[in-house]
Amino acid sequence: MNKLNVGRRGFMALTAASLVAAQDAAPTAKAFEVASIKPVAPGDHRVMIQITPGGRYSGKNINVNMLLLQAYDVRPFQITGGPSWIATDRFEITAKADGEIARDGMKPLMQALLQDRFKLKFHKETKEAPVYALVVGKNGHKMKAAEGDRGMMRMGRGQITAQQIGMASLVNSLSNQLGRMVIDKTGLTGSFDFELNWTPDETQTGSGPFAGAGQPPPPPSDPNGPSLVTAIQEQLGLKLESQKGQVPLFIIDSIEKPSEN
């Protein structure tokens, strides 16, 4: 069973790959056999997502932005357009596919759900916007060459612990934390082991779009600790530089609240 349970100290971020500029084709053969969508009343907004044997999907307290992340590999800062309720209204979704479905195989099913039940219409564009370039500091990086053969990244509020992790995974995690696209310009290849600790500000509620959903951020363990930008430089020997770059955008043209069933 694959399970994602993300609360105020959630550890897993569903990081996203870059979007392409062309419009995605609608799913043709993949769709849930049955799906139930119910609004959730205000209250405990602890997010839970489960993928269980038999092609079953269960999501509790999830909003449309979270569904878009699962379905289209898009980060919140790439989403534009759409009504405010796509970030505030929460739903409980239970669905079943026809047969076993792996986690990656859920994407076209989630796309079909959004397009059929939420009447989602969208297009994609690439726009110049502020980005961060991740570069190596003047004294070289401080990360250890990876040891072992098993990759792992554990993320919490103000903390990342990584083993056997490449730069692509690091920039994805930093993009989620900073709310801005981070581009790898380090030139580093291979995998690394490292630990990164910082004092989050009020905009950094956890490890990604699902972390801390609906919950006030917990107090930082060390209020006098470094900011994320400073920690990257001091602890990893890397540096973030503000630049302009091409950012893929996911633009919502229209969307509707689903009928309850």
Side-chain angles (χ1 to χ4, degrees):
M1 176 178 66
N2 294 320
K3 181 177 180 180
L4 171 61
N5 188 350
V6 184
R8 56 188 293 184
R9 289 190 180 273
F11 283 133
M12 182 179 292
L14 300 180
T15 53
S18 295
L19 293 169
V20 294
Q23 166 72 51
D24 279 351
T28 54
K30 292 287 189 178
F32 286 115
E33 194 173 32
V34 292
S36 171
I37 304 175
K38 298 179 180 179
V40 175
D44 179 17
H45 281 166
R46 184 172 295 274
V47 176
M48 186 180 72
I49 297 170
Q50 291 180 306
I51 299 173
T52 53
R56 298 181 183 275
Y57 173 92
S58 175
K60 184 177 181 181
N61 287 321
I62 55 180
N63 59 33
V64 169
N65 281 347
M66 296 174 184
L67 292 173
L68 292 173
L69 183 137
Q70 296 174 70
Y72 293 101
D73 284 336
V74 58
R75 301 183 185 98
F77 63 84
Q78 293 174 289
I79 300 171
T80 65
S84 60
W85 63 261
I86 66 174
T88 58
D89 286 20
R90 308 237 171 200
F91 300 91
E92 181 173 352
I93 299 176
T94 56
K96 184 183 182 303
D98 183 14
E100 297 292 337
I101 301 292
R103 181 180 292 276
D104 284 346
M106 280 289 173
K107 291 180 182 179
L109 279 69
M110 301 302 294
Q111 293 174 15
L113 181 77
L114 282 160
Q115 294 174 21
D116 179 44
R117 299 296 298 279
F118 290 83
K119 310 303 180 185
L120 171 68
K121 295 185 184 301
F122 67 94
H123 68 281
K124 296 176 181 180
E125 295 179 2
T126 299
K127 181 180 179 180
E128 186 176 70
V131 301
Y132 285 117
L134 185 66
V135 301
V136 177
K138 63 180 181 180
N139 296 321
H141 76 84
K142 301 178 181 180
M143 299 178 294
K144 291 174 53 180
E147 299 176 354
D149 56 1
R150 185 174 183 179
M152 179 275 293
M153 180 177 280
R154 186 176 65 221
M155 293 168 284
R157 179 170 165 79
Q159 185 267 343
I160 297 177
T161 301
Q163 296 176 0
Q164 280 276 346
I165 294 301
M167 299 309 296
S169 295
L170 176 57
V171 296
N172 276 337
S173 298
L174 294 179
S175 294
N176 286 330
Q177 291 286 351
L178 294 164
R180 184 189 294 189
M181 179 165 287
V182 178
I183 300 172
D184 176 23
K185 293 189 177 181
T186 63
L188 297 174
T189 59
S191 300
F192 301 92
D193 297 343
F194 61 86
E195 186 168 337
L196 184 64
N197 295 282
W198 72 94
T199 296
D201 61 32
E202 64 275 7
T203 67
Q204 298 164 8
T205 58
S207 58
F210 288 71
Q215 301 288 342
S221 56
D222 181 6
N224 298 315
S227 68
L228 177 55
V229 173
T230 300
I232 290 169
Q233 189 165 354
E234 293 179 347
Q235 299 169 26
L236 303 185
L238 305 176
K239 185 178 179 181
L240 289 169
E241 296 181 346
S242 292
Q243 298 181 357
K244 291 284 189 177
Q246 296 298 311
V247 177
L249 299 178
F250 186 101
I251 302 172
I252 297 175
D253 298 316
S254 62
I255 191 168
E256 300 175 9
K257 291 186 180 183
S259 57
E260 184 178 347
N261 70 339

